[in-house]
Amino acid sequence: MNKIKIGWLFPDTLYLHGERGNILALERFATLAGLNCQTDKIDFKTENFDPMDYDILFCPPGELVSFPVILEWLLPYKERLAAFVEEGRPLFATGTSAALWGREIRRSDGSSFQGMGMLNISAEEKDSVYGDDLYFSCQYGEQSMEIIGNQIQMVDLIGDGEEVFGQMIYGYGNMGKNREEGFKKKNSVFTNALGPVLAVNPWLTEEIIKTAQKNRGFETETLQYDAQLERKSFETKKEFILTKETRLTNCSR
């Protein structure tokens, strides 16, 4: 049986918003693809970490206060992590952790620190937290798709020439002032979408697993699974989101 390995970065430190569900989704779809899936937790006790040992890396969101010590641990592996992304292996980062991979993170108190510098973006902490639904269109792998999740926006992500992951249909996005959602570099994704997004949008999860298979030279095929519940849920949430402003207006009268 073909095997893939998933690296789960700092699960005991980057633990916000129930994003463990993304790991469960990846493992499920790896099994559906007939793969033997191994997930390793990567943390401060990990020895001899080599990103190139993995097919997928997942980086969940955490509190900004924990970022400097995580960056200190990650920086010696920057060259190998950059090679991981350049080879087209998927690094999937959600929520605040997208900021880890940019140039700089500026705190609301005026302090700042450098990120990994693998993306030409900067992050600026907001004075208040923004929470709402998030609905956007995107392209990943061989599929164009729509994604619905939610966001708990603690930072604005300011890009400078980086490819945008999605185009907003509803939500705050990277900065609120534009219609851009997250960033994409080769097959790596840095998104504001929570949910956990891979559990509630299995069409994206399938494409990530297929990408990992192709990188290994494994044959891929359309996975057989019942997405009826997820599709119905998607359409219900879509209707709710698109009629939200009308309902709010009526309630205020």
Side-chain angles (χ1 to χ4, degrees):
M1 180 182 291
N2 292 330
K3 178 180 179 178
I4 65 166
K5 292 178 66 178
I6 300 172
W8 185 3
L9 299 179
F10 300 96
D12 296 324
T13 308
L14 303 175
Y15 55 78
L16 296 180
H17 315 312
E19 293 294 276
R20 175 178 178 270
N22 286 320
I23 287 289
L24 297 178
L26 289 168
E27 291 174 338
R28 174 177 178 247
F29 274 78
T31 301
L32 288 171
L35 300 169
N36 180 3
C37 182
Q38 175 182 327
T39 299
D40 294 339
K41 295 182 178 181
I42 312 299
D43 58 24
F44 299 108
K45 297 179 181 179
T46 300
E47 298 180 357
N48 303 317
F49 171 55
D50 186 352
M52 301 303 287
D53 286 341
Y54 294 91
D55 301 287
I56 300 170
L57 292 175
F58 172 56
C59 186
E63 299 285 356
L64 298 182
V65 69
S66 67
F67 282 13
V69 66
I70 290 172
L71 286 164
E72 182 180 5
W73 193 93
L74 284 174
L75 278 170
Y77 304 103
K78 177 179 176 178
E79 185 175 326
R80 298 292 281 172
L81 285 162
F84 179 96
V85 171
E86 287 298 321
E87 278 199 7
R89 304 192 192 193
L91 165 59
F92 194 76
T94 60
T96 54
S97 71
L100 280 170
W101 309 95
R103 297 190 314 270
E104 182 184 23
I105 300 164
R106 297 188 288 270
R107 300 296 307 272
S108 58
D109 63 5
S111 63
S112 65
F113 52 90
Q114 299 301 304
M116 291 293 288
M118 288 167 48
L119 289 176
N120 196 26
I121 68 172
S122 58
E124 189 168 314
E125 185 178 14
K126 294 169 60 62
D127 291 327
S128 58
V129 177
Y130 176 91
D132 202 351
D133 297 302
L134 185 61
Y135 175 27
F136 60 94
S137 62
C138 66
Q139 171 83 32
Y140 190 88
E142 299 178 354
Q143 298 294 326
S144 296
M145 62 188 77
E146 291 185 345
I147 300 295
I148 289 180
N150 56 71
Q151 61 189 135
I152 301 174
Q153 199 82 357
M154 300 180 187
V155 296
D156 281 343
L157 299 175
I158 306 162
D160 186 7
E162 289 290 354
E163 181 181 359
V164 174
F165 177 45
Q167 293 296 321
M168 297 296 304
I169 301 171
Y170 178 92
Y172 184 88
N174 291 336
M175 296 173 60
K177 300 176 182 178
N178 57 24
R179 308 308 298 161
E180 299 175 346
E181 201 303 299
F183 298 94
K184 185 169 74 169
K185 195 174 185 70
K186 297 296 179 71
N187 291 316
S188 292
V189 171
F190 309 84
T191 178
N192 301 295
L194 308 172
V197 67
L198 296 182
V200 297
N201 298 273
W203 32 94
L204 175 57
T205 315
E206 179 178 2
E207 287 302 313
I208 292 174
I209 292 298
K210 283 183 177 179
T211 297
Q213 287 179 283
K214 290 174 182 176
N215 287 339
R216 282 284 189 180
F218 302 156
E219 291 187 6
T220 64
E221 58 185 37
T222 301
L223 302 186
Q224 301 301 313
Y225 63 97
D226 184 1
Q228 184 176 2
L229 179 62
E230 288 86 354
R231 289 290 182 188
K232 286 183 177 179
S233 174
F234 184 93
E235 292 302 322
T236 299
K237 288 182 285 189
K238 177 179 174 179
E239 181 181 4
F240 176 84
I241 289 169
L242 295 180
T243 60
K244 184 182 293 188
E245 291 183 4
T246 300
R247 291 196 314 275
L248 290 174
T249 300
N250 290 337
C251 288
S252 66
R253 290 176 180 174

